[in-house]
Structures are given as structure tokens and as C-alpha cells.
Amino acid sequence: MSTTTAETACEHGYITDKTRYFSRLRRIEGQARGIQRMVDEEQYCIDILTQISALTGALQNVAVGSLEDHLRHCVADAARTGGDVAEEKIREASQAIGRLIR
Amino acid sequence: MSTTTAETACEHGYITDKTRYFSRLRRIEGQARGIQRMVDEEQYCIDILTQISALTGALQNVAVGSLEDHLRHCVADAARTGGDVAEEKIREASQAIGRLIR
Amino acid sequence: MSTTTAETACEHGYITDKTRYFSRLRRIEGQARGIQRMVDEEQYCIDILTQISALTGALQNVAVGSLEDHLRHCVADAARTGGDVAEEKIREASQAIGRLIR
Amino acid sequence: MSTTTAETACEHGYITDKTRYFSRLRRIEGQARGIQRMVDEEQYCIDILTQISALTGALQNVAVGSLEDHLRHCVADAARTGGDVAEEKIREASQAIGRLIR
């Protein structure tokens, strides 16, 4: 997984809540395994789609939470530094938001 | 996981492609584990968000594929049967589509 | 606006509810004008974003409703016809669903 | 349209690009009117859904653009001020992002 150069300047926001992110992601992994089991057991398509929607929702919640932490720590730190550091951090956060919205 | 009564009437569409769904869901589970590892290794927030977007996209592709199979098999069978069977299947598919869109 | 050849075979689902679609789309046009006014009056960004979310939600509701009507009429008719007519209609509906989900 | 108290502290980001936002929103209003015309002319459901997807995409682009401007101006200003002003602005921006993602 690529590491973005701009990240070196700040202490990542989510780290203050690492355990909570970890358990939410662990649950998401379990949900993904659960959907595999439903396919294996040839369960009804609509029930599988319902679980996919639930898993997508759980992912979106993790994304919004980590974006908020990123704004609070990395983006706010960069804003206080100002100049290109702030500009790069804001551009980067906006692209991440765009990927999640579209 | 609840089984919806309406499902008994048809052979689920995705079963014709069960292995492919299974391997895609296996990959999704691996991606979920990968994001946990990124959090564990305290990687940069934006890189984690990029992986969450990729995982969400993979889930949406599985959802669209299984919806198409569901239309082709279950909904089409119900349409040929007609009456309440068709109405229930269309209502149910539309609700699943709504959950995925919103 | 391009007209898809496959459409000739069926009476469009939404036409049974044309007035309701028309008034919902009229409201959406009004919402779009309202957001222009907010920009013109230099209102707060977050208030504008809230209205954009509301407008996107209204559009999604129209999309899900017209998809349901399309399944109930065009896709169900095609399923009863069977063969390539059914296959084309299902493929086409699935692509429209994919565009709305992604 | 409600005005959020937190907005008084900053010059809204989008104002630096007001004309561009205005013309994009004008186009969106025209797209909404176009879809009404398609319904009025009883055009094919899938063609209408294609236009709804295009309109939704245009709205999302405006949303991502104005979020980026908001981060660059209002949120960055608040971060430099620090304390509750920064906390409120970040909380508010994250909620707006959440509404757009879900």
C-alpha cells in the first residue's frame, strides 16, 4: 500500500481511537465472511443484497469517522502551518471525499 | 440471517456464477483485513480512505452483478407467473435497489 | 436526448403516474433554483451543502420510483416475451441501476 | 433557508468562484427542466434514468468543489483560531460530508 508523502507532517487523527477503528474493521471483515457463507449456503439474493447494503453502510461510517479525525488533526495542523503544506492537505482531503461521494 | 418467504419460488440467479461471487467476496474479505493492517501499522489516513473507497466499489460491483442475476432469474420467473408473485418480487427488488442507491 | 431502440416494445411504467413525477421534478427544479439564490445571497457553505444533499436525495427517490415502474411494466413485459427481448431489457436496467449506485 | 450561527466567523470559500458555481447551478436547473420535458414527451424510462444519473453527478461535483473551498477558507481559518471555533467547524464539515456520502 502506497504511503503519500504529505502524511509525514502530522500524527494521524484516527490513532487516538485506534482500538475502536480496529474493532469496527474486524466486524466489517466478519460481515464480509458472513456474505460468503450466505452465497455458499445459496441463500436468497435479496437477503444477500441486504447484507451488502449493511456492510457498505458500516464502511461509510468508518470513512466519515476517519475523515473527521483527519480534518481535526492532519488538516488542522497543516492549516496552522499554512502555505503549500495546507494547500496540499486540503487538496488531498477533498479528493478522498470525492472518491467516497461518487 | 433471515430468509425472505418470497424467495422459495425461484432458483437464485447468482448460483449460476457462484464460484465467481465467492472469489470476489473472498477478495473483499482480504481487503477488509488489509485495512485493519493499515490501521495497525498506523498508515496515513488518506491511504486508508483510498482503500475504503476501493472496497466500497468492489462491494457495489458485487451488488450490481447479483441484482442483474436476480432480475434475470427470480424477477423474470415471477413476471411470467404474474399477479401477486410478480408484484411482490418487483416491490422487493426495488427496495433492495433503493437501499443500495441511498 | 437519445431514444434507446429497446424501448419501443413497452408502454413506459412511469406514465401511469406521470403527474406525480412531473410535480416531483418541478419541485427539484425549484430546489435547484433555490440553491442558486443561496449562492447569489452568499449564504453559508454548509447550508448550501445541506440543500445539495436534500436535492440529491429527492433525485434518488425519483430514480428508485421510476426504476420500480420500469421493472413492473417494461421489464416484466419483456420477461414474458422472453429471449433476446428479455435479455436486452434486463441488461439495460442493470446498467441504469449501476450508474445510480456508483 | 436556515443560517448556521458558526458561519459568521469566515468569508465563504465558494465566493471566490461565485460565477462558476452560479453557471454550474444554472446548468443543473436546466437539466432538471430537461428531465421534466422527457417525462412530458413520455420518453423511455432508461433515457430518463440516464439523465437523472448525469444530474446527480453534476450535483456531486458542485458539492465536492464547495466542500474543498469550505475546507480551504472557513475550516482552515477556524483551525488557526483553534479551540471551540475549530472543533465546531470540523464537526459541522464532517456532518455535511456524511450527508453527501450516505
Side-chain angles (χ1 to χ4, degrees), chain A residues 5 8 10 12 16 18 20 28 46 54 57-58 63 72 74 80 86 99:
Chain A
T5 46
T8 44
C10 79
H12 312 330
T16 56
K18 192 171 159 180
R20 199 164 61 92
I28 282 172
I46 295 292
R72 185 167 290 122
C74 305
R80 285 185 279 269
R99 282 192 295 271

Side-chain angles (χ1 to χ4, degrees), chain C residues 6-80:
Chain C
E7 56 94 8
T8 43
C10 79
E11 220 262 334
H12 313 329
Y14 68 85
I15 292 176
T16 56
D17 224 350
K18 193 173 160 178
T19 329
R20 197 162 63 91
Y21 278 108
F22 211 76
S23 71
R24 288 168 79 179
L25 287 165
R26 180 72 56 83
R27 256 202 318 275
I28 282 170
E29 187 195 338
Q31 284 176 276
R33 235 186 338 266
I35 296 171
Q36 279 179 63
R37 217 170 24 247
M38 293 177 82
V39 167
D40 198 35
E41 293 163 3
E42 298 184 5
Q43 290 195 28
Y44 185 41
C45 327
I46 295 293
D47 293 335
I48 291 174
L49 284 164
T50 302
Q51 293 306 317
I52 289 178
S53 294
L55 177 48
T56 306
L59 268 170
Q60 288 169 338
N61 289 338
V62 170
V64 173
S66 55
L67 257 171
E68 181 161 3
D69 285 327
H70 182 63
L71 292 181
R72 187 168 289 121
H73 293 264
C74 306
V75 175
D77 288 349
R80 284 185 279 270

Side-chain angles (χ1 to χ4, degrees), chain A residues 87 90-91 94, chain D residues 63-73:
Chain A
E87 185 50 35
I90 286 165
R91 190 193 56 73
S94 305
Chain D
V64 173
S66 53
L67 256 172
E68 180 162 2
D69 286 327
H70 182 61
L71 293 180
R72 187 166 287 121
H73 293 265

Side-chain angles (χ1 to χ4, degrees), chain C residues 1-4 6-7 10-15 18 21-22 25-26 28-29 32-53 55-56 59-60 62-64 66-67 70 74 89 92-93 96 99-100, chain D residues 1-4 6-7 10-15 18 21-22 25-26 28-29 32-53 55-56 59-60 62-64 66-67 70 74 89 92-93 96 99-100:
Chain C
M1 275 131 211
S2 78
T3 310
T4 319
E7 56 94 8
C10 79
E11 220 262 334
H12 313 329
Y14 68 85
I15 292 176
K18 193 173 160 178
Y21 278 108
F22 211 76
L25 287 165
R26 180 72 56 83
I28 282 170
E29 187 195 338
R33 235 186 338 266
I35 296 171
Q36 279 179 63
R37 217 170 24 247
M38 293 177 82
V39 167
D40 198 35
E41 293 163 3
E42 298 184 5
Q43 290 195 28
Y44 185 41
C45 327
I46 295 293
D47 293 335
I48 291 174
L49 284 164
T50 302
Q51 293 306 317
I52 289 178
S53 294
L55 177 48
T56 306
L59 268 170
Q60 288 169 338
V62 170
V64 173
S66 55
L67 257 171
H70 182 63
C74 306
K89 201 64 84 184
E92 200 184 45
R99 282 191 295 270
L100 288 163
Chain D
M1 273 132 211
S2 79
T3 310
T4 318
E7 55 93 7
C10 80
E11 218 263 331
H12 313 329
Y14 68 86
I15 292 176
K18 193 172 158 179
Y21 278 107
F22 211 75
L25 287 164
R26 181 74 55 85
I28 283 172
E29 185 196 339
R33 237 189 334 269
I35 297 171
Q36 278 179 61
R37 215 169 27 244
M38 293 178 82
V39 167
D40 198 36
E41 294 163 3
E42 299 185 2
Q43 290 195 27
Y44 184 42
C45 326
I46 295 292
D47 294 336
I48 292 173
L49 284 164
T50 302
Q51 293 306 318
I52 289 177
S53 293
L55 178 48
T56 306
L59 269 170
Q60 287 169 339
V62 169
V64 173
S66 53
L67 256 172
H70 182 61
C74 306
K89 203 65 86 182
E92 198 185 47
R99 282 191 297 270
L100 287 163

Side-chain angles (χ1 to χ4, degrees), chain D residues 1 5-6 20 24 31 70 74-78 92-93 97-98 100:
Chain D
M1 273 132 211
T5 46
R20 196 162 63 90
R24 287 167 81 178
Q31 284 177 275
H70 182 61
C74 306
V75 175
D77 289 348
E92 198 185 47
I97 294 166
L100 287 163

Side-chain angles (χ1 to χ4, degrees), chain B residues 35-71:
Chain B
I35 297 171
Q36 278 178 62
R37 217 170 24 247
M38 292 178 82
V39 167
D40 198 36
E41 293 163 4
E42 300 184 3
Q43 290 194 29
Y44 185 42
C45 327
I46 295 293
D47 293 336
I48 291 173
L49 285 164
T50 302
Q51 293 306 318
I52 289 177
S53 293
L55 177 47
T56 306
L59 268 170
Q60 288 170 339
N61 289 338
V62 170
V64 173
S66 53
L67 257 172
E68 180 161 3
D69 285 326
H70 182 63
L71 292 180

